[in-house]
Amino acid sequence: MSEPSIVLEAKGITKQFPGVLANDTVDFDLHLGEVHALLGENGAGKTTLMNILYGLYKQDAGEIKVNKQPIAIHSSKDSIGAGIGMVHQHFMLIPVFTVAENIMLGDEGTGINAGFWRRFCALFIDALLLTTAFFLLEFLLNHLGGALLSLVLLPFLGIILAWLYFAGLESSTKQATFGKQAFGLIVTNENGERLSYKVATLRFLAKILSGLPFAAGYVMVAFTANKQALHDKLVHTLVVDVGGGILDRKTVENRVRELSKQYRLDVDPTALVGQLPVGVQQRVEIIKTLYRNANILILDEPTAVLTPQEADDLFGIIRELTQRGVSVIFITHKLKEVLAIADRITVMRAHHDGRSRSHSQGGKKHRQTRR
Amino acid sequence: MQEKEGRKWWRNFAEDSISSILVPLLAVLTAVVIGGLVIALSGGNPFFAYAGLFEGAFGSQKALSETAVWATPYIFAGLAVALAFKGGLFNIGAEGQLAFGAVAGALIGYALPDWVGHDIPATLHVPLAVGAGVLAGTLWAAIPGMLKAYTGGHEVINTIMMNYIALNMTSFLLNGPMQDPVLTSVSSRTPPIAESAYIPQIFDGLRVHWGFVLALIMAVLVWLVLWKTTLGFEIRTVGSNPDAAKYAGINVKRTIILTMAFSGALAGLAGAIEVTGLNHRHELGFSIGYGFDAIAIALLGKTHPLGVVLAAFLFAAMRNGATRMQFLTQIPVDIISVIQALILVFIAADAIIRFIYRIRIKGERVVLTRGWGG
Amino acid sequence: MDWKRFGFIALIIAILFGTVVLVGHTASSPLVIITSMLATTIAVATPLTLGALSGIFCERAGVVNIGIEGMMLTAAFFGWLAAIYMSAILNISPLPCLFTGVAVGMLSGGLMALLHAVLSITFKVDQIIGGTVINILAVGITGFMNRQLFFEKNSIFGGSVPHAPGVLPRFSFPFLSDIPVFGRIFDQQLITWAAIILVIVVHFVLFKTRWGLRTRAVGEHPRAADTVGINVERTRYINVIIGGMLAGLGGAYFTIESVPSFEPLMTNGRGFIALAAMIFGNWTPFGAWSAALVFGAAQALQIKLQYFRDLIPPQLAFLQISYVVGLAPYILTMLILTGIIGKTVPPVADGQPYEK
């Protein structure tokens, strides 16, 4: 009987709120491909523990390990990065957005950088920004001294670049890794597709350019470089930057369709979330985590909002997920559901007792030694 | 100011007063200091300026009387805005309601004797003129009230729009049907009202009139209505929680309309009292700025009638003293607007004041207004 | 945009244009009147359009901004001040002065917006109160400085208003402006062009870009945005400041494009009408623009009737009174807010501070 591989381990987690000790040295672990039910009354600290794992709260004490590596979770970004996904009891979905928009939110991908949109961007910027900018520049050069010129141009450039900067910087960390990849000559985008070296290098350059104290940089370029070079640089910078900021719905929709098919979730990426039944909305939430490559899935009271039929469907989906290597934490206070789906059970008691107990259930669900 | 059970009312009152007056006081102080900096930056001496301001506001019997004269419309208008706040409504339209109150008061004041063909005794004429002003203000405010109650149109934009409509219509009336036939350099004004419609002065030779006393009485009345009557309870309930009010069986729509109407009545009263007590005619432009000042006064007074009276006095003193200040130090009176705006900034964001002065305050945040989602 | 609303817009515009044609048809051909009315409409709709775009940026991110009026007024004053300072004191040729004026206007609008952001996002002040504070502050500051700089003898301008550097030049759209009669529409001043371009740009930013998606998410469901790692407060801050800059551009219209002078309170409620345009346009750039054009048409009517005032027939005598015709935009605004011309749906989290 081999040891099951532990994908997530939380040791000695303590969380104190003003007046309440929500978690007192709680231990918890999750094995690969299992459904681990977390059972307990309201106020037992289940949600607090999960919110700590998902980066919404920071624990006062204790250690979290993912795949045996200790990690520091400061925000949900860190958790997502570690492969943890959470489906909240109250869905974090925006009703007026489509399924694809909801899923891509916060992780929109590299944006549009090829084909029609790329040409469109180049044209748009060529026509609109540069012609006007150069007419203005030439005009001002004829009418003004250099010092005043910068006075006039700085606010304008500042505004344009500030926007680019903030629009672009959202995914700066990702872009940075991307840059390293470019130098290491592993040129792929986030989805693992190969990109041309030219595009990758340009992206990297663009990021550096827009990430620098931008206004100064641009004004310097404006005074030193010859016009053609400046023109080219600006076009490329802007194409790549703006292109990176433009949503690529098609790619995301295809990816959602793929995931939907792969895990038999049956979700139409172009539908408006607000018009979907609750059960389907929940599946959108699940795809949202899968889209972010989550292999640890936290389901917080997932059946509370579902009809019995929808709950059965959900159990089917959970089994499908675990067979494909996703490990699931299933939070509930309904014992019946636990018996139906869980491989292992942890019961959390009210905080004064503190330590959560973990004991396995027998019967047909006693499978934690299976692997 | 909910009653806390089992404690002496005066003790609650004292504690509430201290904790609720501290932040406004510090807000005023901070704004005055910053205003002083602005004066210094623009080349003036803030100490001379403020000394002039103080002298102009409190330096003599006449100065005190003038401060009370300024305070009179401020109290009415401030009460109007504060009452609406209590009902969860933001009445930015006090200015338009006040203008129409003044127009109606002036109309009855100068035209009624002609209509009936003979003089009217003051005991009848004054109430009629003031009553007309109240009615005009009430109706003008009831329109946005009804729009809010029945269509959900947000009262903020509606009352602002009604301000501009009132301004345009007053301009039209004062340059057309109601224009003073005796043409002077000031053309946009009504004829003078009949002497029988004058509100008498309290002291001979000082301009402060009985309207000032009426303002103080109104403050007490508003307090009584808000905290001692069923209607007041309904208004406050709708203001703090319309859903709860609905479940408690309160007719929310009716209450909204009534709140706006009462608010408009007070604003209209401000206009009518100014006409009958002070100016004895209505001039275009006199009402401009009162609406915003009234909002500032209501917020500075924490929407409590007593607070409103105090805040109104402060604003009146500043407005009144500013003329003297400008005469003595050439600092434009408009600095007062800057100081008032700053007071409002610090009142609105009392967290800033608490941060500066390290004050901890219990008590919950009061929701004054809501978004567009009506 | 649904048909009801489109029909309403078409109807109002037809009535407004029809009135002018009716009055002026003896003086010039209907085509000429309609064209010139259209040109004026587009021009006077500019501050409304920019104000509405400003509102869209703020409210799509969940921050109600009724301080647009104040931001415009501030920008109108400081933009003009910068332009007039450069031209009168530094003796610089007009055009650079005007461009700087526009930039300074945008900057001052952005600064006012920063204050609104601090109040409503950081200090979680009631956002409508916050906006009112902005409006009152703007009246105070511009009034004070106007008096201090231009009516006090010891100021740098010596107590009088110096000669202004004029207004922004017109830009004729190549080819289109050469069309006989209709070409007049394509001959507009620079901020007007900028406003039209910005309508397209804002639409694109809002609905086609990552930033727009995140902005809308923050305005609809900030917690959802937070759980996927979007910084709600920062997103709101940036949007409010961008909005303030747009309002500032709209403010610059008054003193740098429309007339070369400043008067206290000169924005005259345009910021609030812009908000109504935004609401009627259902928080979309093109919808807001079309609503702004309706208001613009109402204002253009006033201007054109002034021009044709000798031709107004006696049975339409009330049209001679500019105060009566001037009411049209305000009444329209109230009518629109009743929602009888189609219900509008604000962003769900509009006006609500985000509590973690």
Side-chain angles (χ1 to χ4, degrees):
Chain A
M1 211 185 280
S2 63
E3 266 305 292
S5 88
I6 295 174
V7 288
L8 175 78
E9 192 176 10
K11 260 212 164 91
I13 300 292
T14 302
K15 177 70 187 176
Q16 170 89 50
F17 288 114
V20 186
L21 186 58
N23 285 162
D24 183 12
T25 53
V26 174
D27 296 338
F28 181 83
D29 62 0
L30 183 66
H31 299 172
L32 179 67
E34 73 165 351
V35 177
H36 189 157
L38 193 55
L39 198 66
E41 293 301 315
N42 289 330
K46 296 170 296 190
T47 305
T48 305
L49 181 61
M50 290 308 119
N51 281 342
I52 289 169
L53 291 179
Y54 192 62
L56 298 178
Y57 300 144
K58 180 102 183 76
Q59 75 270 28
D60 299 328
E63 191 189 35
I64 298 167
K65 281 184 190 169
V66 173
N67 294 328
K68 309 222 162 74
Q69 298 294 315
I71 60 162
I73 297 176
H74 300 291
S75 73
S76 38
K77 249 184 180 167
D78 297 331
S79 299
I80 294 167
I84 301 172
M86 180 160 176
V87 176
H88 299 261
Q89 187 179 356
H90 304 285
F91 298 152
M92 294 298 166
L93 294 174
I94 295 158
V96 296
F97 281 13
T98 65
V99 169
E101 284 173 333
N102 264 295
I103 289 168
M104 73 199 293
L105 181 68
D107 191 10
E108 291 85 351
T110 54
I112 290 168
N113 53 28
F116 170 74
W117 280 108
R118 196 181 158 74
R119 284 199 299 279
F120 176 84
C121 282
L123 252 165
F124 183 78
I125 288 152
D126 256 351
L128 206 106
L129 220 146
L130 281 166
T131 43
T132 48
F134 272 93
F135 275 125
L136 196 72
L137 198 73
E138 264 192 8
F139 175 85
L140 292 172
L141 277 174
N142 295 338
H143 285 76
L144 279 174
L148 259 170
L149 178 70
S150 60
L151 230 170
V152 178
L153 279 184
L154 261 173
F156 277 119
L157 281 177
I159 291 157
I160 295 167
L161 294 171
W163 181 75
L164 283 176
Y165 180 71
F166 289 122
L169 211 69
E170 283 297 307
S171 55
S172 57
T173 43
K174 183 176 295 169
Q175 299 286 346
T177 9
F178 198 79
K180 275 182 217 147
Q181 287 176 337
F183 276 128
L185 299 180
I186 317 157
V187 189
T188 54
N189 68 10
E190 282 79 351
N191 300 336
E193 295 149 2
R194 278 187 75 91
L195 284 178
S196 76
Y197 292 119
K198 199 178 138 200
V199 174
T201 318
L202 280 173
R203 280 187 151 280
F204 184 57
L205 266 179
K207 274 302 149 195
I208 291 186
L209 260 177
S210 63
L212 284 177
F214 38 88
Y218 275 85
V219 171
M220 247 168 60
V221 173
F223 280 112
T224 53
N226 73 48
K227 276 184 189 172
Q228 192 54 45
L230 171 67
H231 175 272
D232 291 352
K233 221 171 240 173
L234 271 177
V235 168
H236 285 304
T237 303
L238 292 174
V239 164
V240 174
D241 245 354
V242 173
I246 293 172
L247 298 178
D248 186 1
R249 287 195 173 83
K250 281 264 150 56
T251 308
V252 176
E253 280 164 12
N254 287 336
R255 174 108 179 93
V256 171
R257 269 190 205 103
E258 219 172 84
L259 285 168
S260 166
K261 217 166 115 190
Q262 196 179 341
Y263 292 92
R264 296 182 203 158
L265 291 167
D266 190 26
V267 168
D268 171 17
T270 58
L272 276 181
V273 163
Q275 292 167 358
L276 297 176
V278 179
V280 182
Q281 290 191 12
Q282 193 170 52
R283 279 182 252 155
V284 175
E285 281 279 32
I286 292 171
I287 298 183
K288 206 163 129 186
T289 63
L290 296 174
Y291 175 83
R292 288 164 170 73
N293 301 321
N295 46 29
I296 299 164
L297 185 59
I298 305 170
L299 300 171
D300 188 4
E301 304 273 0
T303 54
V305 291
L306 300 181
T307 62
Q309 175 57 42
E310 284 172 329
D312 282 349
D313 291 348
L314 175 68
F315 289 169
I317 291 165
I318 291 176
R319 284 189 195 103
E320 186 74 37
L321 287 167
T322 49
Q323 269 166 29
R324 289 170 185 274
V326 177
S327 319
V328 175
I329 303 173
F330 188 99
I331 304 175
T332 185
H333 56 258
K334 296 181 194 161
L335 197 60
K336 219 175 100 193
E337 286 173 0
V338 173
L339 297 175
I341 191 77
D343 301 316
R344 277 199 309 155
I345 298 169
T346 293
V347 179
M348 284 186 83
R349 298 255 163 81
H351 60 270
H352 55 261
D353 185 3
R355 287 194 164 309
S356 69
R357 305 242 154 70
S358 171
H359 38 233
S360 35
Q361 277 289 322
K364 62 182 167 106
K365 294 295 167 201
H366 193 140
R367 294 184 297 184
Q368 80 266 43
T369 51
R370 184 189 59 184
R371 287 164 202 270
Chain B
M1 306 244 167
Q2 308 282 326
E3 272 80 13
K4 288 166 200 148
E5 281 175 44
R7 299 178 66 181
K8 288 267 195 296
W9 68 270
W10 53 266
R11 227 182 121 187
N12 290 332
F13 183 76
E15 274 183 17
D16 285 347
S17 305
I18 289 169
S19 68
S20 60
I21 219 166
L22 190 61
V23 169
L25 269 182
L26 290 172
V28 171
L29 182 77
T30 316
V32 164
V33 168
I34 297 179
L37 287 176
V38 173
I39 292 175
L41 281 176
S42 62
N45 182 329
F47 297 104
F48 288 165
Y50 285 139
L53 188 79
F54 193 81
E55 189 194 320
F58 305 110
S60 63
Q61 264 191 351
K62 188 161 174 294
L64 278 172
S65 150
E66 286 301 299
T67 300
V69 164
W70 272 101
T72 309
Y74 277 160
I75 295 175
F76 285 126
L79 286 175
V81 178
L83 181 81
F85 271 139
K86 282 287 176 225
L89 298 164
F90 192 0
N91 180 10
I92 305 192
E95 192 159 314
Q97 294 141 22
L98 187 143
F100 265 144
V103 167
L107 181 68
I108 298 299
Y110 77 79
L112 192 63
D114 292 344
W115 293 344
V116 296
H118 54 80
D119 286 348
I120 306 165
T123 46
L124 191 62
H125 201 174
V126 172
L128 277 178
V130 172
V134 170
L135 189 67
T138 307
L139 293 177
W140 199 244
I143 297 171
M146 282 190 239
L147 288 174
K148 168 89 176 182
Y150 291 112
T151 71
H154 200 281
E155 81 278 2
V156 165
I157 294 189
N158 275 335
T159 51
I160 292 168
M161 291 299 117
M162 305 258 317
N163 277 348
Y164 287 104
I165 294 172
L167 187 66
N168 267 25
M169 284 172 71
T170 323
S171 304
F172 166 64
L173 290 173
L174 298 191
N175 287 306
M178 288 176 66
Q179 193 174 28
D180 187 1
V182 186
L183 287 174
T184 58
S185 59
V186 189
S187 61
S188 311
R189 63 179 191 182
T190 66
I193 60 172
E195 272 191 44
S196 54
Y198 283 17
I199 293 180
Q201 292 164 346
I202 304 177
F203 309 106
D204 269 345
L206 293 177
R207 292 208 304 166
V208 59
H209 51 84
W210 287 100
F212 173 64
V213 177
L214 182 65
L216 297 180
I217 295 172
M218 279 317 288
V220 177
L221 272 179
V222 167
W223 180 79
L224 281 176
V225 167
L226 277 178
W227 276 279
K228 301 293 165 198
T229 67
T230 321
L231 179 67
F233 175 74
E234 290 182 353
I235 289 175
R236 286 183 294 126
T237 312
V238 170
S240 55
N241 193 340
D243 292 331
K246 201 186 277 173
Y247 287 119
I250 296 173
N251 186 338
V252 175
K253 288 182 178 174
R254 191 183 129 244
T255 311
I256 287 175
I257 297 170
L258 276 181
T259 309
M260 276 311 276
F262 277 131
S263 177
L266 285 165
L269 193 57
I273 295 283
E274 276 299 89
V275 166
T276 52
L278 189 69
N279 300 329
H280 301 142
R281 60 163 27 116
H282 183 45
E283 272 182 31
L284 190 61
F286 128 76
S287 59
I288 291 174
Y290 274 102
F292 279 162
D293 283 353
I295 295 165
I297 288 167
L299 289 175
L300 180 57
K302 295 257 164 179
T303 70
H304 189 277
L306 180 65
V308 167
V309 171
L310 294 176
F313 263 104
L314 179 75
F315 273 47
M318 287 203 284
R319 287 279 175 209
N320 181 32
T323 328
R324 180 83 185 147
M325 176 194 74
Q326 185 171 11
F327 176 74
L328 290 175
T329 59
Q330 278 78 48
I331 308 289
V333 290
D334 304 68
I335 185 70
I336 300 304
S337 307
V338 177
I339 295 178
Q340 288 178 351
L342 288 171
I343 292 177
L344 200 51
V345 169
F346 294 131
I347 287 294
D350 53 2
I352 301 177
I353 288 295
R354 288 183 209 169
F355 174 75
I356 296 176
Y357 298 100
R358 306 282 188 277
I359 306 171
R360 258 186 243 185
I361 287 190
K362 51 203 185 339
E364 73 286 30
R365 183 180 296 275
V366 183
V367 177
L368 290 170
T369 59
R370 284 170 204 90
W372 310 125
Chain C
M1 180 161 303
D2 53 282
W3 284 108
K4 203 171 169 186
R5 214 168 301 181
F6 183 77
F8 177 79
I9 288 178
L11 179 75
I12 296 285
I13 288 190
I15 291 174
L16 296 170
F17 277 56
T19 314
V20 179
V21 170
L22 197 68
V23 169
H25 71 279
T26 48
S28 42
S29 82
L31 209 60
V32 174
I33 295 176
I34 290 177
T35 307
S36 99
M37 177 89 173
L38 202 57
T40 314
T41 300
I42 293 173
V44 297
T46 300
L48 304 178
T49 310
L50 288 167
L53 293 180
S54 162
I56 287 172
F57 258 108
C58 296
E59 304 213 350
R60 281 287 187 171
V63 179
V64 168
N65 185 1
I66 72 162
I68 293 172
E69 174 88 359
M71 294 172 192
M72 281 189 174
L73 187 64
T74 318
F77 179 75
F78 284 101
W80 181 69
L81 180 64
I84 215 166
Y85 179 81
M86 282 177 73
S87 116
I89 309 284
L90 305 179
N91 285 318
I92 294 169
S93 59
L95 218 46
C97 297
L98 294 173
F99 281 129
T100 314
V102 172
V104 169
M106 289 178 75
L107 230 56
S108 55
L111 277 177
M112 285 304 248
L114 177 65
L115 175 63
H116 185 51
V118 170
L119 289 178
S120 58
I121 301 167
T122 303
F123 288 107
K124 300 185 169 61
V125 170
D126 183 297
Q127 292 173 5
I128 290 183
I129 303 280
T132 307
V133 167
I134 300 288
N135 289 332
I136 296 178
L137 191 64
V139 172
I141 289 178
T142 57
F144 171 70
M145 291 198 65
N146 189 41
R147 187 77 65 92
Q148 182 79 353
L149 288 170
F150 299 113
F151 295 92
E152 293 294 323
K153 282 206 182 57
N154 52 3
S155 81
I156 44 167
F157 296 106
S160 67
V161 182
H163 194 65
V167 294
L168 282 173
R170 292 183 169 277
F171 172 78
S172 304
F173 203 93
F175 309 117
L176 285 178
S177 60
D178 297 333
I179 303 171
V181 187
F182 281 114
R184 164 96 181 71
I185 299 168
F186 301 98
D187 179 36
Q188 301 280 3
Q189 282 166 291
L190 292 181
I191 297 183
T192 303
W193 282 117
I196 296 169
I197 293 168
L198 278 169
V199 169
I200 301 163
V201 170
V202 172
H203 176 86
F204 187 80
V205 168
L206 210 52
F207 297 108
K208 306 285 174 198
T209 67
R210 177 166 59 196
W211 180 257
L213 187 76
R214 293 179 175 196
T215 296
R216 287 183 292 137
V218 163
E220 290 286 342
H221 195 337
R223 187 164 299 279
D226 198 9
T227 54
V228 291
I230 294 167
N231 187 333
V232 174
E233 295 206 343
R234 205 191 68 157
T235 309
R236 287 189 168 174
Y237 255 90
I238 293 166
N239 274 297
V240 170
I241 291 169
I242 292 174
M245 286 180 167
L246 289 174
L249 188 59
Y253 168 89
F254 291 98
T255 49
I256 294 174
E257 176 154 313
S258 174
V259 287
S261 65
F262 176 83
E263 289 162 40
L265 307 176
M266 75 186 301
T267 44
N268 213 2
R270 244 60 137 255
F272 301 115
I273 296 179
L275 268 183
M278 171 199 76
I279 294 173
F280 186 54
N282 216 352
W283 286 265
T284 62
F286 283 104
W289 190 37
S290 45
L293 286 177
V294 174
F295 290 123
Q299 214 183 323
L301 173 76
Q302 201 180 351
I303 296 167
K304 293 294 161 196
L305 285 178
Q306 197 67 22
Y307 182 73
F308 289 130
R309 66 183 172 283
D310 298 333
L311 298 170
I312 297 175
Q315 61 270 38
L316 293 175
F318 70 93
L319 290 178
Q320 277 170 319
I321 307 159
S322 61
Y323 300 119
V324 176
V325 184
L327 296 181
Y330 307 123
I331 294 176
L332 258 178
T333 302
M334 293 177 64
L335 202 65
I336 282 167
L337 288 184
T338 60
I340 53 172
I341 314 130
K343 201 85 184 139
T344 56
V345 189
V348 174
D350 202 6
Q352 294 164 9
Y354 178 58
E355 312 269 1
K356 274 213 171 195

